[in-house]
Structures are given as structure tokens and as C-alpha cells.
Amino acid sequence: MKKQELYYIYLILFHAFIGVLVFLMPFLSKLYTILILGYGTFYIIKNKNKNNEALVISAYVIGVEVLLRMTDGMLLNEFGKFAVMFFMFLGMIFSGFSKRAYMYWLFLGLLIPSIILTAVTTYFEFDIKKEIFFNITGPVCLGICAIYCHERKITFDRLKGVITAFCLPLVAIVVYLYLYTPSVKDVISGTQSNFETSGGFGPNQVSTILGLGIFVFFVQFLLNSKNKILALINAGFVLVFAFRGIVTFSRGGVMTAVIMIVLLLMVLYFQANFNTKPKIGLIIVLSFLAGFGVWGYSSAQTGGLINKRYANQDARGREKNTQLSGREDLMASEIQMFLDNPIFGVGVGRNKIVRKQQTGIVSASHNELTRMLAEHGSLGIIDLLILFFTPIVLYLNDRQNIFALSFLAFWLLTINHAAMRLAAPAFVYALSLLKVYHFEKPTLHRE
């Protein structure tokens, strides 16, 4: 086994050990956060971002964010987003950004009117600064990441290195989850999202990051396993992440992972030559069988309740009245806010207070699409169109980034069920804008 392959195994073991440490001594989580911030800064400055070190350390932050939230290791509530933005800025200082990223400058500019609208609105019960920060940091993080990544040249091998950076802290998360809930059978009693199997944290967010784990380890298995040992390790993690994602009883992350994998396999199949297509076909069949096996095991561990969850039934097998856990009404109220305020919307963060005044309901829809409509009006529609069509156009012009459609799908599907509470959808979206080379890295030149 080569030195690089052994290094990967050592890093896997090291991060499994981190998962054990922060479970036994949660106070170490804050130290972990400080070390990530300090080492990440040093890593980028030392190498002057010559090989996109900013992407690697940002991917690591994305992978570790949920673990830090679980263990109260965040130095501030939006640490993940602010850390990623800081690393992106640092990277741009050394290696610049594309002048053709003007669409994302426009995207950021169109967020401003609704921020001003909120800032001039006064409610005694409304913390303006808190609401603006909570709701705007996700879109701003996305804009900064997109400006950094837009048509940035990167080798395929380096992009696989970014995928690896996602993987490592996710190992710590799954170890933590197993220590927190050794027996799934003992904590499953219904078909609602389960906090016990989610490490005591929000099942929606845990499901999101575990879904990303399914995909990135599938990529490792498919494209980054140079011997049978690595193939077994990576395939094993795919199955482990799939099981732990399923038993959170939060459907969004698992379903997103499946769609990401399907898109990747479709891209690989249609780009493959005649001799390679049968191999991809075999992988598709094996993936289906493995998925069927994981589902069967999950069903056994949950006493069949997971089947009812995905069939939208309660524990007694009765059909639920809502397909989206009651979020339809919240989304409908946000669409109505847009219809009532079609130009600038109601203002950043104000949809909750308007909903409370109109309906008495105090809750969030967790849907970034309808939130953008409600809070930004027609400017929000323009922003959403920019976000959706820019990576599509780039991919159609240059299809070397085989992950582009999967990354775009992760963003689009995640913001539909988990909004942008995590930094993950912002950063993963931006990766769909990269200009990938499969051979020698071109000379660094940012126009």
C-alpha cells in the first residue's frame, strides 16, 4: 500500500478518535474549533493558496460544523458560515477571483434593499440585528463562495482532495452518533424525526450532513479507492452513513443523497466510452442491491416504523394529513406575503413576525425558496434564477466537472427542507461552478 493511501487510513482513524474524545469530553470541542480556525489560516497563508487550500479547509469546516453544534463547540452561532467566508476571502487575497463572476455580485447587491427595509422597521419584540444576521448569512456565504469558485481552474485530483476533506470530520460525527445511541431499537417509538438517533441535535440538520456523507464516501469508493482495502473502507462508510441517515427519521438528507448519486452515475454513464459503460451498469446494480440491504436492516432495527415514515404514516399505519410535517401552511403564508409585497418583500427576517401577526403561528418553514420570495420579493426571484441557471450554463459549456449537477442538486434539495441553517448548501453549491481539468493543472491566472 502506498504512503498516501496509508495516510488516508491514519486520518480516518484519527478522526474516529476525535469522535470518541468529544463524546467523552465535550469541552474539547471548543478547542477543536480554535485549532481548525488557526490551522486553516496558517495552511492557506503558508501555501499562498497556490493549490486552492481555501477550498480544502472550507470543505473540512462544512464536514465538522454539525459535530461542533452537537457538542456546543461553536465560538459563535454562525461559526461555520463565517469561517468559510473568512477562508474564501483569504484565498482570494492570494489567488484572486474571476471578473466574470459579476452575476454573483449582482446576487449580493439584490439582497440589500430587503436588509434596509428590515433595518428601518421597528418592533419592540423584534431583534433586528439578530434576525438580519440569522437570515442573511446563508445567502451572503453562498455569494462569497460562488465568487471564489466561479470558473476557477482546478485539477480533478485536487477536487477529489476537497471531497476527502469533507469525509474526514464526518467520520467523527458518525462515531459520535454510535456512542450517543448504541442501540437504535431502544429509542424508536414513533415515525417522527428522532433526536436520540441524531445525537440529541436537530434531525433535519443531522440528516442533511449524513446525506452528504453518503455521497462523498460513494465518490471515494467509486473514484478514489486504488486497492481493495480502501474500497472496502469507503463502501463500508457509505452503508454506515446510509443507515444512520435513515434512522434519524428525517427524510430530506437521505433522499438528497440518492438523487446526487443517481445524477453522478448518469453523468459518468453518458460520458463513458463503450467499454466502460458495462462497469458503470454493474455499479448501478450493486448500488441498488446495497441500498435494498441497508433499507432492510434499518426496517428491522426500527420495527418497520421507518417504512411507515417514508409512506407518510403514523406509528399505527394511519395516513398523515400532511406530506411535509405541516410546512405546507407556512410555505403558503410566505407565498401570500410575496403576493402582498411583490417588489421588495416584507424584509429580511420579517416573515416570522408577519406570520405571527396574521395567523398567530410562530414557526419557520425551513424553505429557502419561499423565504426568498416572502422577504425579497421580485428581487428574490431574480436571485434564485441567477443561482439556478448560472451553474447549468457553465456545465453545458464545459462538462469536465462531473459533480456539478450533483452539487447543484444538493443545494436545491437541501434549501427546500433545511433552508440554509448550515453552511453546507452554500459551499457545495459553489463547487458546481469550478472549471475542472483532468490533466496537468493550468498556469494560475485569474482574470
Side-chain angles (χ1 to χ4, degrees):
M1 189 177 293
K2 294 181 180 179
K3 182 178 179 181
Q4 186 177 4
E5 295 163 357
L6 281 172
Y7 187 56
Y8 174 69
I9 294 174
Y10 293 152
L11 285 174
I12 290 285
L13 293 172
F14 175 70
H15 282 84
F17 178 64
I18 289 177
V20 175
L21 272 184
V22 296
F23 176 79
L24 296 175
M25 297 175 281
F27 67 89
L28 290 178
S29 188
K30 279 189 168 58
L31 176 61
Y32 188 23
T33 302
I34 294 170
L35 289 174
I36 292 168
L37 189 59
Y39 177 77
T41 304
F42 170 77
Y43 181 55
I44 296 170
I45 293 175
K46 179 186 176 183
N47 295 285
K48 298 182 180 179
N49 204 44
K50 291 178 180 178
N51 202 16
N52 287 299
E53 284 77 12
L55 286 179
V56 175
I57 194 63
S58 294
Y60 190 91
V61 170
I62 298 303
V64 81
E65 183 180 10
V66 168
L67 179 65
L68 299 181
R69 287 178 180 269
M70 284 178 175
T71 54
D72 195 29
M74 308 286 276
L75 299 180
L76 65 162
N77 190 49
E78 300 298 329
F79 170 79
K81 295 168 192 170
F82 284 117
V84 169
M85 285 190 280
F86 171 70
F87 292 136
M88 292 290 99
F89 275 123
L90 201 56
M92 285 189 277
I93 289 173
F94 289 106
S95 55
F97 56 87
S98 172
K99 291 181 180 178
R100 290 189 292 273
Y102 57 85
M103 293 300 292
Y104 291 102
W105 289 109
L106 174 62
F107 165 81
L108 291 173
L110 292 176
L111 298 174
I112 295 173
S114 293
I115 297 175
I116 296 173
L117 182 60
T118 297
V120 299
T121 303
T122 303
Y123 288 99
F124 291 110
E125 57 185 310
F126 191 59
D127 188 332
I128 293 175
K129 290 182 180 179
K130 179 181 178 181
E131 292 300 326
I132 289 178
F133 270 20
F134 181 78
N135 287 279
I136 209 65
T137 48
V140 171
C141 181
L142 186 152
I144 299 302
C145 292
I147 289 168
Y148 176 92
C149 290
H150 187 269
E151 294 188 296
R152 180 172 288 268
K153 298 172 182 178
I154 185 172
T155 62
F156 184 63
D157 282 343
R158 190 53 167 173
L159 183 54
K160 289 194 294 182
V162 174
I163 297 289
T164 300
F166 279 125
C167 293
L168 297 176
L170 292 176
V171 172
I173 290 178
V174 83
V175 168
Y176 182 93
L177 290 176
Y178 270 104
L179 292 173
Y180 192 94
T181 317
S183 174
V184 170
K185 287 183 178 180
D186 295 340
V187 296
I188 299 295
S189 58
T191 60
Q192 69 278 6
S193 296
N194 195 294
F195 281 80
E196 288 298 316
T197 57
S198 304
F201 190 62
N204 204 358
Q205 296 180 52
V206 175
S207 172
T208 295
I209 208 66
L210 291 176
L212 181 61
I214 296 169
F215 176 75
V216 293
F217 273 104
F218 183 81
V219 172
Q220 292 289 80
F221 165 71
L222 197 63
L223 303 173
N224 222 11
S225 297
K226 297 181 179 179
N227 58 57
K228 291 181 180 180
I229 295 176
L230 290 184
L232 287 172
I233 290 172
N234 291 320
F237 275 117
V238 173
L239 301 179
V240 166
F241 274 90
F243 170 66
R244 294 305 308 199
I246 290 170
V247 298
T248 64
F249 278 71
S250 182
R251 296 165 289 187
V254 176
M255 295 171 70
T256 296
V258 171
I259 293 172
M260 291 176 76
I261 289 171
V262 169
L263 286 172
L264 175 61
L265 290 174
M266 287 175 60
V267 168
L268 290 174
Y269 185 83
F270 286 113
Q271 290 188 8
N273 57 39
F274 181 78
N275 293 327
T276 307
K277 285 183 188 296
K279 296 179 181 178
I280 297 175
L282 177 61
I283 290 170
I284 293 172
V285 172
L286 292 176
S287 299
F288 176 80
L289 293 175
F292 186 78
V294 172
W295 184 267
Y297 180 72
S298 302
S299 180
Q301 289 294 303
T302 61
L305 289 175
I306 194 63
N307 301 345
K308 295 178 181 179
R309 170 62 170 171
Y310 278 75
N312 201 45
Q313 298 173 349
D314 64 16
R316 294 184 178 181
R318 296 172 298 191
E319 189 77 18
K320 293 183 180 180
N321 295 325
T322 171
Q323 290 286 333
L324 300 174
S325 303
R327 292 178 188 168
E328 295 96 332
D329 293 337
L330 302 177
M331 293 161 62
S333 70
E334 290 176 340
I335 292 172
Q336 187 59 50
M337 289 179 213
F338 165 72
L339 296 175
D340 294 338
N341 304 270
I343 301 177
F344 297 118
V346 298
V348 174
R350 286 190 60 204
N351 82 81
K352 284 190 288 186
I353 197 71
V354 172
R355 183 183 297 113
K356 181 181 178 182
Q357 291 175 337
Q358 294 179 347
T359 67
I361 299 173
V362 183
S363 186
S365 69
H366 300 156
N367 188 301
E368 193 71 9
L369 298 178
T370 54
R371 187 198 69 80
M372 286 287 286
L373 295 181
E375 297 186 359
H376 297 272
S378 57
L379 301 183
I381 293 179
I382 297 171
D383 269 353
L384 290 172
L385 291 174
I386 289 172
L387 295 181
F388 182 76
F389 284 106
T390 303
I392 293 291
V393 171
L394 290 177
Y395 177 72
L396 291 177
N397 289 331
D398 183 1
R399 303 187 183 188
Q400 295 300 303
N401 187 351
I402 62 173
F403 306 121
L405 296 182
S406 296
F407 289 152
L408 180 62
F410 177 82
W411 164 75
L412 184 60
L413 296 172
T414 298
I415 65 172
N416 268 281
H417 72 87
M420 296 188 72
R421 289 178 292 173
L422 298 175
F427 180 73
V428 173
Y429 168 88
L431 296 180
S432 69
L433 307 173
L434 292 169
K435 194 176 184 67
V436 179
Y437 289 81
H438 287 261
F439 303 102
E440 185 180 353
K441 182 180 177 182
T443 303
L444 184 64
H445 175 63
R446 306 298 291 159
E447 296 181 5

